């Protein structure tokens, strides 16, 4: 028996001699014996010590044993404490019942038989010892449960800290777990989705038949790949998904752990980069090809120019030479378009955008008449900016030319020049808009409109006009955009070019210009 | 028509292009001397009076702008025009008095050359 296993036995009697005799009898049990001369003293001991058995004389002055037992029992801690009464007087059965009702567990009559006393006390001491061990074991268990709970809580928190969407579902797809990352990614709240089917909820489209994925998961335990899913508000999300099968302990109820990382933005960035690289490469190729073509083109053009008027040609030969020269002009036009960066004047000069547009419209006046297009132009400013006339002329010629070609059956060409603040910034500049009532731009074409070699005019277009125009406008740190609307069966397509102009600080000049132009 | 026949030195390494350009210029009324390289052009300039140099830009023995710098060093008042198929102006394009694109066509080429000649005639007279 170790020290720790010793229990306390409290002996209560008003006669010290009796206490001594009990001590002698119980000494060999090896437990701690505590003596108390009165009920009060006994209570003090009880409050300070964990007592296994109370051995108590029934008849004591002040508080008798029964009263004492009642007080002891009222204390919640002592409700289970064993009390053995020692009675010198004969107790009736009624008395004994009264004692039991007050918490006695046993009685011993005087004269005390030492073996009987020892036996009875040791039973309760042993019981207490066992109870104590059990309690200690219980506390240990509780502590472990607490620790484990805390561990699980921390793990759950970790799951919620993860930016990935982490979900657990059964093989049919019914959700059992949905972390905070999933809530953020998909916009659904945990309580909205638990128990619902993940496939219906997220409208997942798989890169291969779902059965194939499930086969893979059941065979190897895992699968990974990209999925397209939809958030609660209908946003398309591309996720890198990892799925792992977990067999529950009892076998049949397997669950699937699905961890999804949002790669939508990453994919968009990669796509944009690829596109930019492709455009740059195409631009370089276009430039090189144009240069290689220009050299022989000049020679051929010169040859036909000389041939056209050659005295030896008959009428038919002259006609053929003329046709060849006309076709060569088209080739020259194409390569000139790719030569957008070539500038005739080497120094930027003050340009009036309005005057430039008038030049362009004059050039196109014949086509406007031929196609029965009404011109509606309004210049609210002269649009004085510093630049290269040939560049900007090319941009406007392109926009006006496109507008005219979009209206073979006639229509309305609207041209505006106005002062503007570009792109919501406070930059001062000129905005030119060219609008037509022609065929309109199909939504699927809209994205590619500014790409080189993209054309909606089949063989007639080079696919370079808008690409070059955009390049020129960007050189001016301006912007070009368009809008195509269909309303009441009629299309309106507007291209709008913003060119940064003189700052407001040196705007005195431009105000004067504005007034002069007001009457146009 | 040019009043007194101006003499143009035409430089290009491609014989066909050079010959055709020469014929176009002659048709416009100029006298034309040709050189297949920068070196030959410099040699001709040292012993022949010329009113204007019209040179290609990209040639095996040195670029048109290089040639322009050398010519200007010796004959600062001699107009120098470059005709090229390049996409971007070379960084030293200011060496020439005019940078022409090959796609502008024969008529524009003759017009612009006559413009440069006139400008230089005015300058040289007033000087």
């Amino acid at each position: 028996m170790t020290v720790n296993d010793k229990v306390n036995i409290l002996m209560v009697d008003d006669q010290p001699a009796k206490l001594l005799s009990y001590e002698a009898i119980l000494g060999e049990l090896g437990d701690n014996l505590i003596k108390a001369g009165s009920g009060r003293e006994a209570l003090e001991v009880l409050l300070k010590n964990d007592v296994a058995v109370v051995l108590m004389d029934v008849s004591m002055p002040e508080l008798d044993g029964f009263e004492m037992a009642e007080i002891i029992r009222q204390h919640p801690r002592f409700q289970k404490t064993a009390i053995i009464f020692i009675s010198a007087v004969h107790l009736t059965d009624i008395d004994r019942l009264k004692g039991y009702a007050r918490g006695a567990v046993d009685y011993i009559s005087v004269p005390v038989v030492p073996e009987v006393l020892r036996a009875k006390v040791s039973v309760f001491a042993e019981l207490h010892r066992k109870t104590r061990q059990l309690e200690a074991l219980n506390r240990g268990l509780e502590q472990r449960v607490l620790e484990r709970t805390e561990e699980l809580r921390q793990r759950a928190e970790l799951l919620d800290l993860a930016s990935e969407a982490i979900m657990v579902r059964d093989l049919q797809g019914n959700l059992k777990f949905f972390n905070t990352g999933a809530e953020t990614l998909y916009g659904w709240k945990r309580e909205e989705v638990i128990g619902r089917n993940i496939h219906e909820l997220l409208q997942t489209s798989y890169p291969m038949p779902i059965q194939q994925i499930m086969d893979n998961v059941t065979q190897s335990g895992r699968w990974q790949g990209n999925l397209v899913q939809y958030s609660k508000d209908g946003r398309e999300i591309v996720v890198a998904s990892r799925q792992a099968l977990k067999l529950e302990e009892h076998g049949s109820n397997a669950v699937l752990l699905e961890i999804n990382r949002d790669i939508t933005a990453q994919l968009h960035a990669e796509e944009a980069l690829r596109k930019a690289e492709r455009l740059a490469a195409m631009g370089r190729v276009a430039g090189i090809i144009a240069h290689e073509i220009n050299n022989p083109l000049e020679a051929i053009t010169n040859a036909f120019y000389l041939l056209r008027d050659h005295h030896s040609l008959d009428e038919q030969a002259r006609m053929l030479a003329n046709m060849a020269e006309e076709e060569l002009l088209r080739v020259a036009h194409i390569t000139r378009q790719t030569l957008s960066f070539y500038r005739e004047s080497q120094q930027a000069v003050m340009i009036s955008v309005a005057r430039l547009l008038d030049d362009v419209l004059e050039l196109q006046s014949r086509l406007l008449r031929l196609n029965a297009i009404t011109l509606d132009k309004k210049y609210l400013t002269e649009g004085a900016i510093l630049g290269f006339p040939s560049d900007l002329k090319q941009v406007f010629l392109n926009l006006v030319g496109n507008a005219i070609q979009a209206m073979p059956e006639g229509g309305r060409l609207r041209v505006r020049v106005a002062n503007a603040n570009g792109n919501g910034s406070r930059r001062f500049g000129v905005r030119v808009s060219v609008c037509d009532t022609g065929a309109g731009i199909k939504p699927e074409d809209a994205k590619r409109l500014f790409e080189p070699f993209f054309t909606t005019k089949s063989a007639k277009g080079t696919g370079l006009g808008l690409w070059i125009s955009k390049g020129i406008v960007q050189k001016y740190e301006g912007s070009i955009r368009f809008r195509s609307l269909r309303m009441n069966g009629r299309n309106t397509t507007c291209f709008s070019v913003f060119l940064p102009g003189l700052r407001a600080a040196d705007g005195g000049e431009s105000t004067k210009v504005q007034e002069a132009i007001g009457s146009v | 028509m040019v009043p007194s026949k101006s003499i143009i030195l035409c430089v290009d390494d491609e014989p066909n292009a050079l010959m055709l350009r020469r014929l176009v210029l002659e048709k416009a009324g100029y006298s034309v001397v040709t050189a297949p390289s920068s070196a030959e052009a410099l040699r001709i300039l040292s012993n022949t009076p010329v009113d204007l140099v019209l040179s290609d830009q990209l040639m095996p023995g040195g670029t048109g702008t290089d040639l322009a710098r050398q010519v200007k060093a010796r004959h600062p008042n001699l107009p120098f025009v470059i005709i090229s198929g390049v996409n971007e102006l070379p960084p030293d394009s200011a060496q020439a008095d005019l940078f022409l694109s090959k796609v502008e066509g024969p008529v524009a080429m003759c017009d612009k050359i006559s413009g440069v000649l006139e400008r230089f005639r005015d300058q040289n007279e007033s000087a």
Side-chain angles (χ1 to χ4, degrees), chain A residues 287 291 295 298 339 342 344, chain B residues 21 85 87 99-100 102 112:
Chain A
H291 174 228
N295 285 326
E298 186 222 2
L339 286 172
Y342 175 79
E344 286 173 65
Chain B
R21 207 175 295 134
N87 274 3
F99 212 95
L100 272 175
K102 285 190 179 170
K112 289 187 175 174

Side-chain angles (χ1 to χ4, degrees), chain A residues 88-108:
Chain A
V89 296
H90 174 73
L91 290 170
T92 62
D93 284 347
I94 303 282
D95 286 333
R96 284 173 188 258
L97 281 175
K98 203 167 90 185
Y100 284 128
R102 286 169 178 177
V105 292
D106 214 340
Y107 286 93
I108 286 175

Side-chain angles (χ1 to χ4, degrees), chain A residues 180-338:
Chain A
T180 307
E183 287 188 333
T184 314
L185 180 57
Y186 298 118
W188 290 100
K189 285 272 156 232
R190 197 164 299 157
E191 48 276 18
E192 294 175 305
V193 302
I194 296 299
R196 287 186 64 183
N197 190 288
I198 187 178
H199 307 299
E200 289 165 16
L201 196 72
L202 305 176
Q203 302 164 57
T204 309
S205 41
Y206 292 89
M208 56 176 89
I210 176 88
Q211 194 49 50
Q212 209 173 319
I213 293 176
M214 289 313 292
D215 288 350
N216 208 323
V217 165
T218 38
Q219 275 163 25
S220 68
R222 22 190 95 241
W223 178 84
Q224 61 179 54
N226 290 358
L227 306 177
V228 179
Q229 299 177 317
Y230 290 88
S231 66
K232 189 180 183 183
D233 56 12
R235 199 162 36 87
E236 190 186 278
I237 306 168
V238 185
V239 296
S241 180
R242 279 174 293 148
Q243 306 192 354
L245 189 68
K246 186 173 183 299
L247 290 168
E248 295 285 75
E249 280 170 26
H250 300 298
S252 57
N253 294 332
V255 292
L256 204 65
L257 173 66
E258 179 168 336
I259 302 178
N260 295 343
R261 188 164 50 87
D262 185 4
I263 55 168
T264 317
Q266 187 191 331
L267 286 181
H268 281 169
E270 283 170 9
E271 173 62 22
L273 190 65
R274 269 198 297 278
K275 205 166 148 190
E277 280 170 354
R278 201 177 67 222
L279 292 191
M282 285 169 98
R284 275 196 300 277
V285 170
I288 292 165
I289 292 174
H291 174 228
E292 289 311 309
I293 288 174
N294 287 345
N295 285 326
L297 179 64
E298 186 222 2
I300 300 167
T301 308
N302 284 346
F304 277 103
Y305 169 74
L306 295 166
L307 186 62
R308 193 180 58 185
D309 300 329
H310 202 273
H311 56 83
S312 69
L313 291 192
D314 64 15
E315 205 174 315
Q316 198 188 9
R318 186 165 293 124
M319 187 190 78
L320 291 173
N322 274 329
M323 280 169 68
E325 213 187 357
E326 268 175 39
E327 294 304 305
L328 277 174
L329 281 179
R330 278 181 55 189
V331 180
H333 175 69
I334 292 170
T335 66
R336 203 177 6 245
Q337 289 229 298
T338 67

